[in-house]
Structure formats: C-alpha cells, structure tokens
C-alpha cells in the first residue's frame, strides 16, 4: 500500500511540475508570437492603407506584378524557405528536422508577405504568421537551452498562437497546432500547451488591435438546425465542398509544378504569377484580390451577387490563389480557402433557394478549409468562434464530410498521415542530440 501511495505522490508531483513548467513556457511563447502577429498585421494594414487610393484605378491590375516580384526577390535572395504559403515549411521542419528554423525566415517572411498581400496577391495572413510563430518558438527553445524534443513542442505552441491570434479564434488555434501536423491524427499530448499559447496570443492581439472577433455577422432571426431537413442536406453540401477543395488543391499545386519545370529566377516566376493574378482581376473583378475576407463579408451580409458573378468569382479566386502561391509568392492559404468556400456556399444557397443562406455560406467557408487542409476539428471550432455558435452543427457536418471526400490530397503536403508514420521516419533526419 505504501509503495502505491508513494507512486501516486510521485506521479502527482511530476504532473504539477509539468503543468507549471509548460504553462510558463506556453504563456511566454503566446506573448511573443502574439506581439509578432500584431507587428505583422500593423505593417500589412499600413501597406494596404498606403495603396488604398489605387484600388479604384487601373493600377489595381498592375500592383500584383510588383508586389509578387518583390516577394520573390526577397525570399530567393535571403531565405528561399520563406516562399509559398509557409505552413508547409514549418510542418516539414517539425516532422523532419526537430523543428529547426533559420531565424532569418521570420523578418523575410513578414516583409515578403506584406508585399504579396498589400499589393493585391490572392493570399492570406495565417501562412506567414504560422511560419513566423514556429520560427519564434524554435528560437525561444534554443535560448532557454531546452532539448530538441521540448523545442519541437514549443514550435507547435508557436503555430497555435499565430493561428489563434490572427483569426481571433483561441480554441481553434490551440487545436490547429496539434491537428495540422497529420492528415488522420492529432498530437493529443500537445493540446494543453498549444491551447494556453493560443489563448495568450489571442488576448494580447485582441487588446492591442482592438479586435475580439474576425467577423460579426448577424445570425438570421429564427434559424435553428432541423435534423430531418438539414442532416442529409449538409452531408450533400459537404460532398460538393470536398470536390471543390480537390479542384483548389490540384489547381494550386498544378501551377506550382509548372513553375518547377520553367528555368526562370524565382522573382521572374512570381512576377508572372502577379501578372496572371492581375489578369484574373480583369476577368472576374478586383474582388478576388487580397485575402478575400471583405468578399466573405459582402457575400454573407449584403448578398446581391448574381449566380453568374458568383461562378466567375469562384473560378477567379481559385486561379488567382494558384497563381499567387503556386508561383512562390509569400502568403497563406487559409483566408483564400474560406473565401472559396463562402462563394461555393452562396452558389449552393442560391441554387436550392435555402431560407437561411448564411448557414450554408459559413458551413461551406469552413468546410473548404477543413477539407483542403485536413483540419476538420479545427474548422468546426473555428465556425463557432468567428461566425457564431448557432452555426456549428451544420458547419461540423460539412467539415467532416468534405474532409473525407478530399482525403486523397491536402494543401499541406508535408504533413504525415499519422504520428506512427512520423515516428518511423524521424530518425532519418538526425537525432535529438
């Protein structure tokens, strides 16, 4: 009996020490990454404001060329791993290199992404912040002289904190850090620390930026989930969303593969990508440029888009994102995914004349992201945090149904299928010491 009591006492003390240690580390990571998210968002907002006077002129079609040229030149000159959407790079570092990140990536990624997004490239903010967050996490672990195993944990905290702050979604951010590493698995042991980091970064970001929530959509009066009406409906929408996700993935990586076979400097490839992005703006209106968050709000709140225009926006946003990111432009894929999903939902709601189109629009927005990135749990929680808890049930159905349909491919191709697969290959990339 005494031996059992001693073991219980020892386990309890070790658990308390673990909680104290990792709470302090996670809070530290959250504060630093949250501050980095503030700096990046502030710099991006300044860039957008400075160029806002050109948005109503023909220069809006030319701007992506210069922005992507500068992005390609910066990354190819100073940090080639900062090119593209960023999240894949930090996942690869975590899975295959113990989370090691060259710190030069952080400032280069920040500046290159500002050029990409502010000048109209079709890209989001999460990729840059996730890569910067992971890089800052690794730097913190190195400064604290932690083991590589512990440093890898901090990298996850940095990824979670960046997502939670930039999307003002602390719970989704915490789950994102643990879920995004694998297609069919999750780092359950990291949920506590990644949640603490994400929540800390969110509150810092919300206080400094004065933004507690990404969207503030009015929920339609009288909306409620009716099982006999909505279960099969939203499963069907999930199937459509999953197929759209596959088209999106194939388009983005198809254009990237084309660039891999073209012997041109990176900055030339990104400039061409910028020109094609501008061309899509000519064809499908400049609404497809930038992150797309304002377009999501217009579709969700104002409506009024014809069915033909919605189809044009859907095709235009998929291609513009493919040209921007696939050419090597620095930016994220989450915001474009949400936009593509919202447009898809608006088309479906219009075709079936659904009484509560916002339910389909928000479910499809999160569904494309959850399907394309294989993070359905993250996106289910994201719906509640950025759209409203009333919409979580239909959104969850769409996210998981879509993820099953799109399971043959993913936006994050450096993610492994499971922790078991990662454990089998990790030793090929160096030991802890």
């Amino acid at each position: 009996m005494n031996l059992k009591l001693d073991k219980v006492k020892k386990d309890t003390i070790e658990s308390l020490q673990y909680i104290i240690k990792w709470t302090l580390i996670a809070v530290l990571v959250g504060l630093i990454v949250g501050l980095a998210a503030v700096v990046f968002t502030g710099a991006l907002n300044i860039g957008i404001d400075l160029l806002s006077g050109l948005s109503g002129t023909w220069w809006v079609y030319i701007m992506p060329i210069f922005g992507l040229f500068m992005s390609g030149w910066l990354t190819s000159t100073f940090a080639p791993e900062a090119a593209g959407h960023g999240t894949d790079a930090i996942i690869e570092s975590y899975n295959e290199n113990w989370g090691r990140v060259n710190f030069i990536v952080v400032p280069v990624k920040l500046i290159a992404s500002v050029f990409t997004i502010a000048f109209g490239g079709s890209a989001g903010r999460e990729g840059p912040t996730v890569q910067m967050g992971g890089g800052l996490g690794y730097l913190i672990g190195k400064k604290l002289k932690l083991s590589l195993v512990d440093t890898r944990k901090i990298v996850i905290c940095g990824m979670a904190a960046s997502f939670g702050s930039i999307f003002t979604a602390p719970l989704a951010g915490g789950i994102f850090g643990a879920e995004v590493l694998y297609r069919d698995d999750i780092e359950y042991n990291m949920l506590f620390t990644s949640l603490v980091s994400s929540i800390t970064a969110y509150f810092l970001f919300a206080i400094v930026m004065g933004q507690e929530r990404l969207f503030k959509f009015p929920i339609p009066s009288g909306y409620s989930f009716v099982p006999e009406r909505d279960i099969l409906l939203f499963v069907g929408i999930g199937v459509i969303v999953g197929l759209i996700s596959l088209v999106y993935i194939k388009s983005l990586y198809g254009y990237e593969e084309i660039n891999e076979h073209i012997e041109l400097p990176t900055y030339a490839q990104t400039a061409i990508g910028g020109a094609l992005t501008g061309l899509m703006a000519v064809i499908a209106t400049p609404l497809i440029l930038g992150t797309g968050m304002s377009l999501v709000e217009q579709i969700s709140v104002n409506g009024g888009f014809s069915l033909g225009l919605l189809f044009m926006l859907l095709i235009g946003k998929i291609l513009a994102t493919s040209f921007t990111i696939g050419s090597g432009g620095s930016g994220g894929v989450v915001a474009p995914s949400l936009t593509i999903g919202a447009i898809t939902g608006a088309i479906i709601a219009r075709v079936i004349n659904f009484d509560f189109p916002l339910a389909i629009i928000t479910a499809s927005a999160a569904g494309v992201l959850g399907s394309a990135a294989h993070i359905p749990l993250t996106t289910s929680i994201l719906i509640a945090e950025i759209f409203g808890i009333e919409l979580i049930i239909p959104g969850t159905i769409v996210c998981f149904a879509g993820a099953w349909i799109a399971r043959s491919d993913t936006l994050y191709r450096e993610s492994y299928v499971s922790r078991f697969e990662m454990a089998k290959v990790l030793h090929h990339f160096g030991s802890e010491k």
Side-chain angles (χ1 to χ4, degrees):
M1 180 65 71
N2 288 335
L3 290 175
K4 289 183 178 180
L5 288 175
D6 288 342
K7 186 178 185 306
V8 170
K9 181 179 178 181
K10 180 181 177 183
D11 290 345
T12 302
I13 292 173
E14 289 178 351
S15 296
L16 287 172
Q17 290 174 337
Y18 178 90
I19 290 174
I20 293 171
K21 170 187 173 180
W22 281 103
T23 297
L24 293 174
I25 292 175
V27 167
L28 175 63
V29 173
L31 290 173
I32 294 175
V33 174
L35 182 60
V38 168
V39 172
F40 173 59
T41 302
L44 181 58
N45 289 342
I46 291 172
I48 292 173
D49 289 342
L50 289 173
L51 297 168
S52 60
L54 301 177
S55 60
T57 70
W58 63 271
W59 281 103
V60 73
Y61 306 110
I62 307 298
M63 286 161 50
I65 301 175
F66 177 75
L68 283 166
F69 168 81
M70 288 301 301
S71 176
W73 179 80
L74 284 166
T75 55
S76 62
T77 303
F78 300 104
E81 59 269 46
H85 57 78
T87 304
D88 237 9
I90 200 67
I91 292 174
E92 179 182 21
S93 174
Y94 175 88
N95 282 338
E96 300 182 356
N97 199 23
W98 293 97
R100 295 183 180 97
V101 178
N102 186 353
F103 181 69
I104 190 64
V105 168
V106 176
V108 171
K109 190 70 178 178
L110 188 153
I111 299 171
S113 298
V114 169
F115 271 109
T116 296
I117 302 170
F119 280 83
S122 180
R125 299 179 297 164
E126 113 292 337
T129 50
V130 167
Q131 190 170 11
M132 289 187 292
L136 289 169
Y138 174 74
L139 180 66
I140 293 168
K142 190 174 180 180
K143 293 296 183 182
L144 294 177
K145 300 185 185 303
L146 298 178
S147 67
L148 286 176
V149 170
D150 283 349
T151 300
R152 289 176 82 233
K153 295 179 182 179
I154 299 180
V155 170
I156 293 181
C157 290
M159 295 167 65
S162 59
F163 190 98
S165 58
I166 212 73
F167 283 104
T168 61
L171 299 182
I175 297 171
F176 172 83
E179 186 181 26
V180 73
L181 302 168
Y182 313 108
R183 299 186 194 183
D184 298 325
D185 209 341
I186 186 170
E187 281 283 3
Y188 296 100
N189 293 333
M190 285 303 303
L191 280 173
F192 167 70
T193 50
S194 60
L195 281 166
V196 171
S197 283
S198 180
I199 292 169
T200 302
Y202 159 75
F203 277 108
L204 175 64
F205 185 88
I207 291 170
V208 176
M209 302 301 295
Q211 181 183 1
E212 296 181 1
R213 184 171 166 183
L214 186 62
F215 297 121
K216 295 182 180 179
F217 295 155
I219 304 303
S221 177
Y223 172 75
S224 61
F225 183 82
V226 181
E228 60 270 25
R229 179 193 67 185
D230 292 346
I231 289 179
L232 290 179
L233 170 64
F234 283 100
V235 168
I237 292 172
V239 172
I240 296 172
V241 160
L243 294 173
I244 293 294
S245 300
L246 284 174
V247 172
Y248 172 38
I249 295 168
K250 299 300 184 184
S251 173
L252 192 156
Y253 284 107
Y255 187 70
E256 183 179 275
E257 289 175 7
I258 290 174
N259 278 280
E260 289 175 355
H261 292 90
I262 298 175
E263 295 184 1
L264 287 174
T266 300
Y267 54 81
Q269 293 181 348
T270 54
I272 293 171
L276 292 172
T277 300
L279 177 61
M280 293 312 305
V282 173
I283 297 171
T285 82
L287 288 172
I288 64 167
L289 299 177
T291 65
M293 292 296 93
S294 61
L295 179 56
V296 173
E297 186 166 358
Q298 291 181 55
I299 289 172
S300 302
V301 179
N302 301 326
F305 291 84
S306 69
L307 194 58
L309 178 57
L310 288 171
F311 274 110
M312 188 66 70
L313 290 172
L314 177 61
I315 297 170
K317 191 62 179 177
I318 290 175
L319 291 177
T321 305
S322 302
F323 296 144
T324 298
I325 305 298
S327 66
S330 181
V333 292
V334 168
S337 299
L338 291 171
T339 308
I340 291 165
I343 299 169
T344 301
I347 292 172
I348 296 171
R350 180 68 60 84
V351 170
I352 68 175
N353 195 28
F354 193 65
D355 291 337
F356 305 101
L358 184 59
I360 295 181
I361 291 170
T362 55
S364 299
V368 167
L369 173 58
S371 304
H374 288 269
I375 50 171
L377 185 58
T378 296
T379 47
S380 296
I381 303 301
L382 185 69
I383 291 168
E385 292 189 293
I386 69 173
F387 294 131
I389 191 66
E390 298 88 347
L391 301 170
I392 192 172
I393 296 177
T396 299
I397 293 173
V398 171
C399 287
F400 278 88
W404 184 261
I405 294 297
R407 67 196 308 266
S408 63
D409 208 346
T410 175
L411 284 174
Y412 301 138
R413 290 186 168 180
E414 295 299 333
S415 61
Y416 287 124
V417 173
S418 66
R419 290 178 293 166
F420 176 72
E421 182 188 7
M422 187 272 288
K424 288 194 301 181
V425 302
L426 184 60
H427 67 279
H428 292 300
F429 302 96
S431 63
E432 177 187 349
K433 300 301 182 182

